[in-house]
PDB file of all heavy atoms in Angstrom:
ATOM      1  N   VAL A 650     107.580 106.667  87.682  1.00 90.00           N
ATOM      2  CA  VAL A 650     107.928 107.977  88.247  1.00 90.00           C
ATOM      3  C   VAL A 650     107.587 109.064  87.223  1.00 90.00           C
ATOM      4  O   VAL A 650     107.928 108.945  86.044  1.00 90.00           O
ATOM      5  CB  VAL A 650     109.425 108.030  88.623  1.00 90.00           C
ATOM      6  CG1 VAL A 650     109.851 109.439  89.031  1.00 90.00           C
ATOM      7  CG2 VAL A 650     109.723 107.039  89.745  1.00 90.00           C
ATOM      8  N   GLY A 651     106.872 110.093  87.686  1.00 90.00           N
ATOM      9  CA  GLY A 651     106.458 111.183  86.796  1.00 90.00           C
ATOM     10  C   GLY A 651     105.048 111.005  86.272  1.00 90.00           C
ATOM     11  O   GLY A 651     104.456 111.964  85.775  1.00 90.00           O
ATOM     12  N   LEU A 704     104.251 119.329  81.225  1.00 76.00           N
ATOM     13  CA  LEU A 704     105.481 119.317  82.018  1.00 76.00           C
ATOM     14  C   LEU A 704     106.746 119.066  81.191  1.00 76.00           C
ATOM     15  O   LEU A 704     107.744 119.758  81.358  1.00 76.00           O
ATOM     16  CB  LEU A 704     105.405 118.307  83.164  1.00 76.00           C
ATOM     17  CG  LEU A 704     106.590 118.459  84.119  1.00 76.00           C
ATOM     18  CD1 LEU A 704     106.337 119.536  85.158  1.00 76.00           C
ATOM     19  CD2 LEU A 704     106.956 117.148  84.774  1.00 76.00           C
ATOM     20  N   LEU A 708     110.485 121.414  81.294  1.00 79.00           N
ATOM     21  CA  LEU A 708     111.815 121.004  81.756  1.00 79.00           C
ATOM     22  C   LEU A 708     112.718 120.688  80.575  1.00 79.00           C
ATOM     23  O   LEU A 708     112.259 120.189  79.553  1.00 79.00           O
ATOM     24  CB  LEU A 708     111.682 119.763  82.644  1.00 79.00           C
ATOM     25  CG  LEU A 708     110.799 119.919  83.888  1.00 79.00           C
ATOM     26  CD1 LEU A 708     110.658 118.592  84.623  1.00 79.00           C
ATOM     27  CD2 LEU A 708     111.334 120.985  84.828  1.00 79.00           C
ATOM     28  N   ALA A 710     115.844 118.649  78.569  1.00 82.00           N
ATOM     29  CA  ALA A 710     116.051 117.214  78.351  1.00 82.00           C
ATOM     30  C   ALA A 710     116.925 116.596  79.442  1.00 82.00           C
ATOM     31  O   ALA A 710     116.677 115.474  79.904  1.00 82.00           O
ATOM     32  CB  ALA A 710     116.664 116.980  76.976  1.00 82.00           C
ATOM     33  N   THR A 711     117.962 117.345  79.895  1.00 83.00           N
ATOM     34  CA  THR A 711     118.864 116.799  80.925  1.00 83.00           C
ATOM     35  C   THR A 711     118.102 116.562  82.225  1.00 83.00           C
ATOM     36  O   THR A 711     118.241 115.520  82.875  1.00 83.00           O
ATOM     37  CB  THR A 711     120.023 117.791  81.189  1.00 83.00           C
ATOM     38  OG1 THR A 711     120.457 118.291  79.921  1.00 83.00           O
ATOM     39  CG2 THR A 711     121.158 117.139  81.922  1.00 83.00           C
ATOM     40  N   THR A 712     117.304 117.552  82.621  1.00 79.00           N
ATOM     41  CA  THR A 712     116.537 117.410  83.874  1.00 79.00           C
ATOM     42  C   THR A 712     115.582 116.232  83.762  1.00 79.00           C
ATOM     43  O   THR A 712     115.462 115.431  84.692  1.00 79.00           O
ATOM     44  CB  THR A 712     115.743 118.716  84.156  1.00 79.00           C
ATOM     45  OG1 THR A 712     116.641 119.803  84.073  1.00 79.00           O
ATOM     46  CG2 THR A 712     115.081 118.683  85.512  1.00 79.00           C
ATOM     47  N   LEU A 713     114.916 116.118  82.627  1.00 79.00           N
ATOM     48  CA  LEU A 713     113.969 115.009  82.440  1.00 79.00           C
ATOM     49  C   LEU A 713     114.699 113.669  82.560  1.00 79.00           C
ATOM     50  O   LEU A 713     114.219 112.757  83.236  1.00 79.00           O
ATOM     51  CB  LEU A 713     113.290 115.101  81.063  1.00 79.00           C
ATOM     52  CG  LEU A 713     112.239 116.205  80.917  1.00 79.00           C
ATOM     53  CD1 LEU A 713     111.827 116.352  79.461  1.00 79.00           C
ATOM     54  CD2 LEU A 713     111.008 115.908  81.771  1.00 79.00           C
ATOM     55  N   ALA A 714     115.896 113.585  81.937  1.00 80.00           N
ATOM     56  CA  ALA A 714     116.653 112.331  81.969  1.00 80.00           C
ATOM     57  C   ALA A 714     117.137 112.031  83.393  1.00 80.00           C
ATOM     58  O   ALA A 714     117.052 110.899  83.867  1.00 80.00           O
ATOM     59  CB  ALA A 714     117.825 112.402  81.002  1.00 80.00           C
ATOM     60  N   THR A 715     117.635 113.064  84.090  1.00 78.00           N
ATOM     61  CA  THR A 715     118.114 112.865  85.464  1.00 78.00           C
ATOM     62  C   THR A 715     116.996 112.346  86.361  1.00 78.00           C
ATOM     63  O   THR A 715     117.205 111.520  87.239  1.00 78.00           O
ATOM     64  CB  THR A 715     118.632 114.209  86.057  1.00 78.00           C
ATOM     65  OG1 THR A 715     119.433 114.839  85.068  1.00 78.00           O
ATOM     66  CG2 THR A 715     119.419 113.995  87.322  1.00 78.00           C
ATOM     67  N   LEU A 716     115.802 112.879  86.153  1.00 75.00           N
ATOM     68  CA  LEU A 716     114.674 112.468  86.989  1.00 75.00           C
ATOM     69  C   LEU A 716     114.060 111.151  86.508  1.00 75.00           C
ATOM     70  O   LEU A 716     113.159 110.609  87.142  1.00 75.00           O
ATOM     71  CB  LEU A 716     113.589 113.561  86.991  1.00 75.00           C
ATOM     72  CG  LEU A 716     113.953 114.851  87.723  1.00 75.00           C
ATOM     73  CD1 LEU A 716     113.010 115.977  87.340  1.00 75.00           C
ATOM     74  CD2 LEU A 716     113.904 114.631  89.231  1.00 75.00           C
ATOM     75  N   GLY A 717     114.556 110.661  85.376  1.00 73.00           N
ATOM     76  CA  GLY A 717     114.031 109.391  84.852  1.00 73.00           C
ATOM     77  C   GLY A 717     112.653 109.527  84.237  1.00 73.00           C
ATOM     78  O   GLY A 717     111.886 108.565  84.197  1.00 73.00           O
ATOM     79  N   LEU A 718     112.313 110.725  83.775  1.00 77.00           N
ATOM     80  CA  LEU A 718     110.979 110.936  83.195  1.00 77.00           C
ATOM     81  C   LEU A 718     111.020 110.726  81.687  1.00 77.00           C
ATOM     82  O   LEU A 718     111.909 111.215  81.014  1.00 77.00           O
ATOM     83  CB  LEU A 718     110.494 112.367  83.473  1.00 77.00           C
ATOM     84  CG  LEU A 718     110.391 112.794  84.930  1.00 77.00           C
ATOM     85  CD1 LEU A 718     109.784 114.181  85.027  1.00 77.00           C
ATOM     86  CD2 LEU A 718     109.543 111.815  85.715  1.00 77.00           C
ATOM     87  N   HIS A 719     110.071 110.007  81.187  1.00 75.00           N
ATOM     88  CA  HIS A 719     110.011 109.766  79.748  1.00 75.00           C
ATOM     89  C   HIS A 719     108.732 110.384  79.177  1.00 75.00           C
ATOM     90  O   HIS A 719     108.678 111.565  78.921  1.00 75.00           O
ATOM     91  CB  HIS A 719     110.141 108.266  79.468  1.00 75.00           C
ATOM     92  CG  HIS A 719     111.394 107.706  80.067  1.00 75.00           C
ATOM     93  ND1 HIS A 719     112.638 107.970  79.539  1.00 75.00           N
ATOM     94  CD2 HIS A 719     111.608 106.964  81.174  1.00 75.00           C
ATOM     95  CE1 HIS A 719     113.560 107.402  80.293  1.00 75.00           C
ATOM     96  NE2 HIS A 719     112.959 106.787  81.290  1.00 75.00           N
ATOM     97  N   ASP A 789     115.292 111.750  96.018  1.00 74.00           N
ATOM     98  CA  ASP A 789     115.570 113.065  96.562  1.00 74.00           C
ATOM     99  C   ASP A 789     114.259 113.856  96.525  1.00 74.00           C
ATOM    100  O   ASP A 789     113.932 114.520  95.557  1.00 74.00           O
ATOM    101  CB  ASP A 789     116.643 113.728  95.700  1.00 74.00           C
ATOM    102  CG  ASP A 789     117.066 115.061  96.276  1.00 74.00           C
ATOM    103  OD1 ASP A 789     116.366 115.564  97.175  1.00 74.00           O
ATOM    104  OD2 ASP A 789     118.078 115.596  95.821  1.00 74.00           O
ATOM    105  N   ARG A 792     114.038 117.628  95.702  1.00 81.00           N
ATOM    106  CA  ARG A 792     114.305 117.891  94.288  1.00 81.00           C
ATOM    107  C   ARG A 792     113.104 117.508  93.412  1.00 81.00           C
ATOM    108  O   ARG A 792     112.720 118.235  92.508  1.00 81.00           O
ATOM    109  CB  ARG A 792     115.529 117.084  93.877  1.00 81.00           C
ATOM    110  CG  ARG A 792     115.887 117.304  92.455  1.00 81.00           C
ATOM    111  CD  ARG A 792     117.158 116.592  92.151  1.00 81.00           C
ATOM    112  NE  ARG A 792     117.350 116.655  90.717  1.00 81.00           N
ATOM    113  CZ  ARG A 792     118.502 116.525  90.144  1.00 81.00           C
ATOM    114  NH1 ARG A 792     119.567 116.353  90.858  1.00 81.00           N
ATOM    115  NH2 ARG A 792     118.603 116.581  88.849  1.00 81.00           N
ATOM    116  N   PHE A 793     112.530 116.344  93.687  1.00 82.00           N
ATOM    117  CA  PHE A 793     111.380 115.908  92.902  1.00 82.00           C
ATOM    118  C   PHE A 793     110.210 116.873  93.095  1.00 82.00           C
ATOM    119  O   PHE A 793     109.514 117.239  92.151  1.00 82.00           O
ATOM    120  CB  PHE A 793     110.962 114.478  93.300  1.00 82.00           C
ATOM    121  CG  PHE A 793     109.911 113.922  92.389  1.00 82.00           C
ATOM    122  CD1 PHE A 793     110.263 113.315  91.181  1.00 82.00           C
ATOM    123  CD2 PHE A 793     108.563 114.029  92.703  1.00 82.00           C
ATOM    124  CE1 PHE A 793     109.289 112.834  90.319  1.00 82.00           C
ATOM    125  CE2 PHE A 793     107.592 113.541  91.847  1.00 82.00           C
ATOM    126  CZ  PHE A 793     107.954 112.938  90.654  1.00 82.00           C
ATOM    127  N   GLN A 796     111.107 120.176  91.212  1.00 84.00           N
ATOM    128  CA  GLN A 796     111.193 120.162  89.748  1.00 84.00           C
ATOM    129  C   GLN A 796     109.959 119.571  89.079  1.00 84.00           C
ATOM    130  O   GLN A 796     109.710 119.834  87.903  1.00 84.00           O
ATOM    131  CB  GLN A 796     112.446 119.405  89.319  1.00 84.00           C
ATOM    132  CG  GLN A 796     113.692 120.154  89.789  1.00 84.00           C
ATOM    133  CD  GLN A 796     114.974 119.570  89.239  1.00 84.00           C
ATOM    134  OE1 GLN A 796     115.063 118.381  89.024  1.00 84.00           O
ATOM    135  NE2 GLN A 796     115.966 120.416  89.047  1.00 84.00           N
ATOM    136  N   VAL A 797     109.205 118.744  89.786  1.00 85.00           N
ATOM    137  CA  VAL A 797     108.086 118.063  89.143  1.00 85.00           C
ATOM    138  C   VAL A 797     106.759 118.263  89.886  1.00 85.00           C
ATOM    139  O   VAL A 797     105.837 118.895  89.374  1.00 85.00           O
ATOM    140  CB  VAL A 797     108.370 116.536  89.000  1.00 85.00           C
ATOM    141  CG1 VAL A 797     107.208 115.841  88.301  1.00 85.00           C
ATOM    142  CG2 VAL A 797     109.661 116.297  88.235  1.00 85.00           C
TER     143      VAL A 797
END
Side-chain angles (χ1 to χ4, degrees):
V650 172
L704 189 85
L708 301 175
T711 318
T712 309
L713 287 170
T715 315
L716 290 164
L718 301 185
H719 304 287
D789 185 347
R792 181 175 171 158
F793 188 84
Q796 295 188 328
V797 181

